[in-house]
Amino acid sequence: MHGTAPQPPLKPKEYKSDVKPIWCAGCGHFAVLSAITKSLAHLALPREQVAIVSGIGCSSRLPAYTHVYGFHGIHGRALPIATGLKAARPELTVLVTGGDGDGFSIGGNHFMHACRRNLDLTYIVMDNEVYGMTKGQASPTTPPDWTESKLTPHGTGLPSFNPAAIALASGAGFIARGFSGDPSGLTDLITEAIQYPGFAFVHVLSPCVTYHPEQKQWKQVVHEQVEGATADPLLAAQRMQQGDRMTTGVIFRANPIYPTERNESAKVSLEQLREQFLTG
Ligand code: SF4
């Protein structure tokens, strides 16, 4: 009898490519890359069954550093590209990676609608509250009184975007916050997000040591959420609005998870989505 011998599980490093990251020494994104590869290894996902899609920015270089399928897209458009991929190849595990500028400014509209569509994607945003690749402009999550950028020497004066709250309001079923300074906690969050059968958003505090060197202090202020995840959107909204946004853990996990009762009326099936793509 002929058969294929079972393959031994891959190690995290086998999900990394030979391309050396060009991130600055100390950048938080190194730990996010490592957490993603550890999660893929933990879940024993075959490399050919995984795709990582990104937009533009320092963090969006991440697919090139992995040994799975990857697509380095255009600014702010990672989510629609990933949506098309998932609609065409629903059996793939599709991760989307990017930064706060890419995902919440240029891609902000896509972010809301990806949450609402609730396709089975894992969206990992490395938030450092700045556009790093283009040398330090304020992003949607920049604090209003940050005066270190030459482009906004008096601060933006604008309230910063609250990614978790926007995700909740837009219908995401799984919302978590992680920290690159806690690689093992981040690996657990990403693993849980990949396993979640719906749209999972992981907001990662990932310092930019070059344009926001003060973020090196985040390790002193980031803290774990004491309460477990809630399935109550009102309680989750309260925590997101009242907290200091430095709390890590799963904040919201809808139950039943997919399709959620909460957004059942807004759910689009893969078949419907394919139909929309075909008919333009
Ligand atoms: Fe990381 Fe900032 Fe350097 Fe970009 S500029 S690689 S975000 S430290």
Side-chain angles (χ1 to χ4, degrees), residues 117 121 127 196 261:
R117 284 200 175 102
L121 302 170
D127 188 355
Y196 182 79
E261 286 176 350

Side-chain angles (χ1 to χ4, degrees), residues 48-96:
E48 68 278 11
Q49 288 297 314
V50 179
I52 305 182
V53 179
S54 70
I56 295 291
C58 293
S59 48
S60 286
R61 296 183 194 276
L62 192 140
Y65 306 143
T66 66
H67 196 353
V68 299
Y69 285 111
F71 193 100
H72 192 178
I74 53 175
H75 217 180
R77 313 301 174 208
L79 282 168
I81 294 165
T83 298
L85 175 61
K86 188 68 185 177
R89 295 284 307 279
E91 76 282 10
L92 293 182
T93 296
V94 181
L95 277 60
V96 190

Side-chain angles (χ1 to χ4, degrees), residues 23-24 27 29 58 128 132 208-211:
W23 292 320
C24 309
C27 176
H29 305 343
C58 293
N128 49 27
C208 172
V209 294
T210 299
Y211 293 105

Side-chain angles (χ1 to χ4, degrees), residues 3-272:
T4 310
Q7 298 296 308
L10 297 174
K11 297 186 174 68
K13 68 178 180 191
E14 292 174 285
Y15 289 91
K16 286 188 181 168
S17 72
D18 295 332
V19 180
K20 194 170 155 38
I22 59 167
W23 292 320
C24 309
C27 176
H29 305 343
F30 284 101
V32 182
L33 170 64
S34 181
I36 289 173
T37 56
K38 282 182 185 154
S39 296
L40 297 177
H42 178 74
L43 295 168
L45 291 170
R47 289 183 293 207
E48 68 278 11
Q49 288 297 314
V50 179
I52 305 182
V53 179
S54 70
I56 295 291
C58 293
S59 48
S60 286
R61 296 183 194 276
L62 192 140
Y65 306 143
T66 66
H67 196 353
V68 299
Y69 285 111
F71 193 100
H72 192 178
I74 53 175
H75 217 180
R77 313 301 174 208
L79 282 168
I81 294 165
T83 298
L85 175 61
K86 188 68 185 177
R89 295 284 307 279
E91 76 282 10
L92 293 182
T93 296
V94 181
L95 277 60
V96 190
T97 59
D100 42 294
D102 181 77
F104 305 144
S105 184
I106 304 97
N109 185 30
H110 298 304
F111 175 48
M112 289 188 293
H113 292 287
C115 293
R116 184 170 73 88
R117 284 200 175 102
N118 198 22
L119 282 187
D120 188 6
L121 302 170
T122 300
Y123 187 31
I124 300 164
V125 176
M126 288 155 260
D127 188 355
N128 49 27
E129 305 174 348
V130 75
Y131 283 89
M133 197 171 79
T134 46
K135 310 214 179 301
Q137 297 105 317
S139 84
T141 51
T142 299
D145 55 354
W146 184 63
T147 55
E148 300 304 312
S149 171
K150 292 191 175 100
L151 291 170
T152 48
H154 305 292
T156 66
L158 298 170
S160 52
F161 194 83
N162 185 335
I166 299 291
L168 181 72
S170 305
F174 180 101
I175 303 168
R177 188 180 297 113
F179 176 43
S180 62
D182 173 19
S184 132
L186 183 58
T187 303
D188 291 345
L189 289 178
I190 292 174
T191 303
E192 194 173 340
I194 293 172
Q195 290 175 307
Y196 182 79
F199 188 82
F201 172 53
V202 185
H203 179 220
V204 185
L205 303 168
S206 183
C208 172
V209 294
T210 299
Y211 293 105
H212 249 313
E214 65 274 26
Q215 290 175 341
K216 291 178 192 165
Q217 306 308 317
W218 275 356
K219 56 176 157 322
Q220 267 95 52
V221 289
V222 168
H223 51 98
E224 265 184 64
Q225 181 175 270
V226 181
E227 315 89 359
T230 179
D232 177 353
L234 289 178
L235 181 57
Q238 191 179 26
R239 288 179 184 168
M240 289 167 186
Q241 294 295 348
Q242 291 178 343
D244 58 5
R245 302 188 201 170
M246 302 304 269
T247 319
T248 59
V250 179
I251 308 170
F252 178 68
R253 187 182 172 106
N255 186 26
I257 47 181
Y258 186 78
T260 62
E261 286 176 350
R262 192 171 33 81
N263 60 5
E264 176 66 36
S265 61
K267 187 176 78 69
V268 177
S269 71
L270 286 174
E271 288 69 31
Q272 288 171 305

